[in-house]
Short mmCIF file of all heavy atoms in Angstrom, two decimals:
data_model
loop_
_atom_site.label_atom_id
_atom_site.label_comp_id
_atom_site.label_asym_id
_atom_site.label_seq_id
_atom_site.Cartn_x
_atom_site.Cartn_y
_atom_site.Cartn_z
N ASN A 124 16.87 10.70 11.11
CA ASN A 124 18.31 10.86 10.99
C ASN A 124 18.75 11.97 10.03
O ASN A 124 19.92 12.19 9.84
CB ASN A 124 19.00 9.55 10.63
CG ASN A 124 18.43 8.88 9.43
OD1 ASN A 124 17.68 9.49 8.68
ND2 ASN A 124 18.67 7.64 9.23
N LYS A 125 17.78 12.65 9.43
CA LYS A 125 18.11 13.84 8.61
C LYS A 125 19.28 13.70 7.65
O LYS A 125 20.17 14.49 7.64
CB LYS A 125 18.28 15.04 9.53
CG LYS A 125 17.09 15.30 10.44
CD LYS A 125 17.31 16.49 11.43
CE LYS A 125 16.14 16.79 12.27
NZ LYS A 125 15.79 15.65 13.20
N ARG A 126 19.18 12.60 6.89
CA ARG A 126 20.24 12.30 5.91
C ARG A 126 20.30 13.34 4.80
O ARG A 126 19.25 13.92 4.43
CB ARG A 126 20.08 10.97 5.35
CG ARG A 126 20.19 9.80 6.36
CD ARG A 126 21.57 9.79 7.00
NE ARG A 126 21.75 8.53 7.77
CZ ARG A 126 22.76 8.36 8.62
NH1 ARG A 126 23.62 9.30 8.88
NH2 ARG A 126 22.88 7.17 9.26
N GLY A 127 21.49 13.50 4.18
CA GLY A 127 21.63 14.38 3.04
C GLY A 127 23.03 14.20 2.47
O GLY A 127 24.01 14.51 3.06
N ASP A 128 23.05 13.53 1.29
CA ASP A 128 24.31 13.31 0.61
C ASP A 128 24.04 13.09 -0.91
O ASP A 128 22.90 13.16 -1.25
CB ASP A 128 25.06 12.08 1.17
CG ASP A 128 26.55 12.29 1.21
OD1 ASP A 128 27.11 12.74 0.16
OD2 ASP A 128 27.19 12.04 2.25
N ILE A 129 25.03 12.73 -1.61
CA ILE A 129 24.84 12.63 -3.07
C ILE A 129 25.21 11.25 -3.59
O ILE A 129 25.96 10.52 -2.93
CB ILE A 129 25.60 13.71 -3.87
CG1 ILE A 129 27.06 13.63 -3.59
CG2 ILE A 129 25.03 15.11 -3.59
CD1 ILE A 129 27.96 14.54 -4.49
N ALA A 130 24.71 10.90 -4.75
CA ALA A 130 25.11 9.75 -5.56
C ALA A 130 25.05 8.45 -4.71
O ALA A 130 24.09 8.20 -4.03
CB ALA A 130 26.51 10.00 -6.14
N SER A 131 26.12 7.65 -4.83
CA SER A 131 26.13 6.30 -4.23
C SER A 131 26.03 6.42 -2.68
O SER A 131 25.53 5.51 -2.08
CB SER A 131 27.37 5.57 -4.65
OG SER A 131 28.50 6.19 -4.24
N THR A 132 26.53 7.50 -2.09
CA THR A 132 26.52 7.65 -0.66
C THR A 132 25.06 7.79 -0.22
O THR A 132 24.57 7.16 0.75
CB THR A 132 27.32 8.84 -0.19
OG1 THR A 132 28.61 8.74 -0.76
CG2 THR A 132 27.42 8.84 1.33
N ALA A 133 24.28 8.65 -0.87
CA ALA A 133 22.91 8.83 -0.58
C ALA A 133 22.09 7.53 -0.85
O ALA A 133 21.24 7.22 0.01
CB ALA A 133 22.28 9.96 -1.40
N GLU A 134 22.46 6.85 -1.85
CA GLU A 134 21.77 5.59 -2.15
C GLU A 134 22.00 4.62 -1.03
O GLU A 134 21.01 3.88 -0.66
CB GLU A 134 22.26 5.03 -3.49
CG GLU A 134 21.54 3.80 -3.96
CD GLU A 134 22.01 3.30 -5.31
OE1 GLU A 134 22.76 4.09 -5.99
OE2 GLU A 134 21.65 2.22 -5.72
N ALA A 135 23.18 4.52 -0.53
CA ALA A 135 23.46 3.58 0.58
C ALA A 135 22.71 3.98 1.82
O ALA A 135 22.14 3.14 2.53
CB ALA A 135 24.98 3.58 0.85
N TYR A 136 22.68 5.29 2.16
CA TYR A 136 21.88 5.69 3.31
C TYR A 136 20.38 5.33 3.16
O TYR A 136 19.77 4.90 4.07
CB TYR A 136 22.00 7.20 3.43
CG TYR A 136 23.26 7.76 4.14
CD1 TYR A 136 23.91 8.85 3.63
CD2 TYR A 136 23.72 7.18 5.32
CE1 TYR A 136 25.04 9.39 4.28
CE2 TYR A 136 24.84 7.70 5.95
CZ TYR A 136 25.52 8.77 5.48
OH TYR A 136 26.59 9.30 6.03
N ALA A 137 19.91 5.67 1.94
CA ALA A 137 18.47 5.40 1.69
C ALA A 137 18.09 3.92 1.81
O ALA A 137 17.12 3.54 2.41
CB ALA A 137 18.11 5.97 0.30
N ASP A 138 18.92 3.09 1.17
CA ASP A 138 18.62 1.69 1.14
C ASP A 138 18.72 1.09 2.52
O ASP A 138 17.93 0.19 2.94
CB ASP A 138 19.53 0.93 0.20
CG ASP A 138 19.12 1.12 -1.32
OD1 ASP A 138 18.01 1.62 -1.51
OD2 ASP A 138 19.98 0.87 -2.14
N ALA A 139 19.68 1.57 3.31
CA ALA A 139 19.83 1.02 4.69
C ALA A 139 18.58 1.34 5.50
O ALA A 139 18.04 0.56 6.28
CB ALA A 139 21.01 1.65 5.38
N ALA A 140 18.05 2.56 5.31
CA ALA A 140 16.87 2.99 6.06
C ALA A 140 15.56 2.37 5.55
O ALA A 140 14.66 2.03 6.37
CB ALA A 140 16.71 4.51 6.07
N LEU A 141 15.45 2.15 4.26
CA LEU A 141 14.17 1.83 3.66
C LEU A 141 14.09 0.50 2.93
O LEU A 141 13.72 -0.51 3.48
CB LEU A 141 13.76 3.01 2.71
CG LEU A 141 13.53 4.36 3.37
CD1 LEU A 141 13.53 5.45 2.34
CD2 LEU A 141 12.30 4.33 4.19
N ALA A 142 14.56 0.50 1.66
CA ALA A 142 14.33 -0.68 0.86
C ALA A 142 15.24 -1.89 1.13
O ALA A 142 14.96 -2.99 0.69
CB ALA A 142 14.47 -0.32 -0.63
N GLY A 143 16.34 -1.65 1.81
CA GLY A 143 17.29 -2.76 2.11
C GLY A 143 18.49 -2.63 1.25
O GLY A 143 18.50 -2.19 0.04
N THR A 144 19.65 -3.10 1.74
CA THR A 144 20.91 -3.01 1.03
C THR A 144 21.01 -4.12 0.00
O THR A 144 20.81 -5.31 0.28
CB THR A 144 22.11 -3.18 2.01
OG1 THR A 144 22.02 -2.07 2.95
CG2 THR A 144 23.48 -3.13 1.33
N PRO A 145 21.26 -3.74 -1.29
CA PRO A 145 21.40 -4.77 -2.35
C PRO A 145 22.60 -5.67 -2.14
O PRO A 145 23.74 -5.13 -1.94
CB PRO A 145 21.40 -4.00 -3.63
CG PRO A 145 21.93 -2.65 -3.29
CD PRO A 145 21.51 -2.42 -1.84
N PHE A 146 22.47 -6.95 -2.36
CA PHE A 146 23.55 -7.88 -2.21
C PHE A 146 23.25 -9.17 -3.01
O PHE A 146 22.35 -9.89 -2.64
CB PHE A 146 23.81 -8.19 -0.74
CG PHE A 146 25.00 -9.13 -0.47
CD1 PHE A 146 26.31 -8.64 -0.69
CD2 PHE A 146 24.81 -10.45 -0.13
CE1 PHE A 146 27.36 -9.47 -0.50
CE2 PHE A 146 25.86 -11.30 0.13
CZ PHE A 146 27.22 -10.83 -0.05
N ASP A 147 24.03 -9.43 -4.06
CA ASP A 147 23.90 -10.66 -4.86
C ASP A 147 22.48 -10.84 -5.33
O ASP A 147 21.86 -11.94 -5.23
CB ASP A 147 24.37 -11.87 -4.10
CG ASP A 147 25.89 -12.03 -4.12
OD1 ASP A 147 26.52 -11.32 -4.81
OD2 ASP A 147 26.37 -12.88 -3.36
N GLY A 148 21.88 -9.79 -5.88
CA GLY A 148 20.54 -9.85 -6.39
C GLY A 148 19.41 -9.80 -5.44
O GLY A 148 18.21 -9.92 -5.82
N LYS A 149 19.70 -9.66 -4.09
CA LYS A 149 18.67 -9.61 -3.11
C LYS A 149 18.79 -8.29 -2.41
O LYS A 149 19.76 -7.56 -2.51
CB LYS A 149 18.85 -10.73 -2.06
CG LYS A 149 18.74 -12.13 -2.66
CD LYS A 149 18.97 -13.17 -1.59
CE LYS A 149 18.83 -14.60 -2.16
NZ LYS A 149 19.06 -15.59 -1.08
N ARG A 150 17.80 -7.94 -1.60
CA ARG A 150 17.87 -6.74 -0.77
C ARG A 150 17.76 -7.24 0.71
O ARG A 150 16.81 -7.94 1.05
CB ARG A 150 16.75 -5.78 -1.06
CG ARG A 150 17.03 -5.00 -2.36
CD ARG A 150 16.19 -3.78 -2.59
NE ARG A 150 16.68 -3.08 -3.74
CZ ARG A 150 17.56 -2.17 -3.76
NH1 ARG A 150 18.01 -1.73 -2.55
NH2 ARG A 150 17.96 -1.54 -4.84
N LEU A 151 18.73 -6.88 1.49
CA LEU A 151 18.81 -7.26 2.91
C LEU A 151 18.40 -6.12 3.79
O LEU A 151 19.01 -5.04 3.75
CB LEU A 151 20.21 -7.72 3.29
CG LEU A 151 20.85 -8.77 2.30
CD1 LEU A 151 22.21 -9.12 2.72
CD2 LEU A 151 19.95 -10.06 2.33
N ALA A 152 17.33 -6.34 4.53
CA ALA A 152 16.81 -5.28 5.39
C ALA A 152 17.86 -4.87 6.50
O ALA A 152 18.50 -5.69 7.08
CB ALA A 152 15.55 -5.68 6.08
N VAL A 153 17.97 -3.54 6.74
CA VAL A 153 18.85 -3.05 7.80
C VAL A 153 17.98 -2.44 8.88
O VAL A 153 17.72 -3.00 9.87
CB VAL A 153 19.87 -2.02 7.21
CG1 VAL A 153 20.82 -1.53 8.31
CG2 VAL A 153 20.63 -2.67 6.07
N TRP A 154 17.45 -1.22 8.59
CA TRP A 154 16.57 -0.57 9.61
C TRP A 154 15.11 -0.86 9.38
O TRP A 154 14.33 -0.90 10.28
CB TRP A 154 16.81 0.96 9.60
CG TRP A 154 18.28 1.36 9.77
CD1 TRP A 154 18.96 2.23 9.02
CD2 TRP A 154 19.13 0.89 10.85
NE1 TRP A 154 20.21 2.31 9.52
CE2 TRP A 154 20.35 1.53 10.62
CE3 TRP A 154 18.98 0.08 11.89
CZ2 TRP A 154 21.49 1.30 11.43
CZ3 TRP A 154 20.10 -0.14 12.74
CH2 TRP A 154 21.32 0.49 12.51
N GLY A 155 14.68 -1.01 8.13
CA GLY A 155 13.32 -1.36 7.85
C GLY A 155 12.34 -0.31 8.28
O GLY A 155 11.23 -0.68 8.63
N ALA A 156 12.69 0.95 8.22
CA ALA A 156 11.74 2.01 8.60
C ALA A 156 10.73 2.22 7.55
O ALA A 156 10.88 1.82 6.37
CB ALA A 156 12.49 3.28 8.81
N ASP A 157 9.58 2.84 7.94
CA ASP A 157 8.56 3.15 6.91
C ASP A 157 8.90 4.48 6.24
O ASP A 157 8.48 4.75 5.08
CB ASP A 157 7.21 3.31 7.65
CG ASP A 157 6.67 1.99 8.16
OD1 ASP A 157 6.30 1.15 7.31
OD2 ASP A 157 6.70 1.79 9.38
N ALA A 158 9.67 5.36 6.90
CA ALA A 158 10.00 6.65 6.35
C ALA A 158 11.26 7.17 7.08
O ALA A 158 11.62 6.65 8.16
CB ALA A 158 8.85 7.66 6.47
N LEU A 159 11.87 8.17 6.50
CA LEU A 159 12.95 8.78 7.21
C LEU A 159 13.04 10.27 6.86
O LEU A 159 12.36 10.72 5.95
CB LEU A 159 14.32 8.16 6.84
CG LEU A 159 14.96 8.56 5.46
CD1 LEU A 159 16.45 8.24 5.51
CD2 LEU A 159 14.29 7.79 4.30
N THR A 160 13.74 11.01 7.64
CA THR A 160 13.85 12.47 7.47
C THR A 160 15.06 12.80 6.66
O THR A 160 16.13 12.09 6.79
CB THR A 160 13.96 13.22 8.81
OG1 THR A 160 14.99 12.68 9.62
CG2 THR A 160 12.61 13.16 9.55
N VAL A 161 14.97 13.80 5.72
CA VAL A 161 16.03 14.09 4.79
C VAL A 161 16.34 15.55 4.73
O VAL A 161 15.39 16.44 4.80
CB VAL A 161 15.59 13.59 3.36
CG1 VAL A 161 16.57 14.05 2.32
CG2 VAL A 161 15.46 12.11 3.34
N ASN A 162 17.60 15.93 4.65
CA ASN A 162 18.02 17.33 4.50
C ASN A 162 18.16 17.64 3.00
O ASN A 162 18.99 16.95 2.30
CB ASN A 162 19.32 17.52 5.23
CG ASN A 162 19.74 19.01 5.30
OD1 ASN A 162 19.45 19.77 4.42
ND2 ASN A 162 20.39 19.39 6.38
#
Side-chain angles (χ1 to χ4, degrees):
N124 52 17
K125 302 177 179 66
R126 295 299 191 194
D128 215 315
I129 58 172
S131 58
T132 310
E134 186 176 349
Y136 279 139
D138 285 343
L141 297 165
T144 299
F146 181 71
D147 280 351
K149 300 179 181 179
R150 286 193 172 269
L151 306 179
V153 182
W154 305 128
D157 293 289
L159 78 161
T160 53
V161 173
N162 189 328

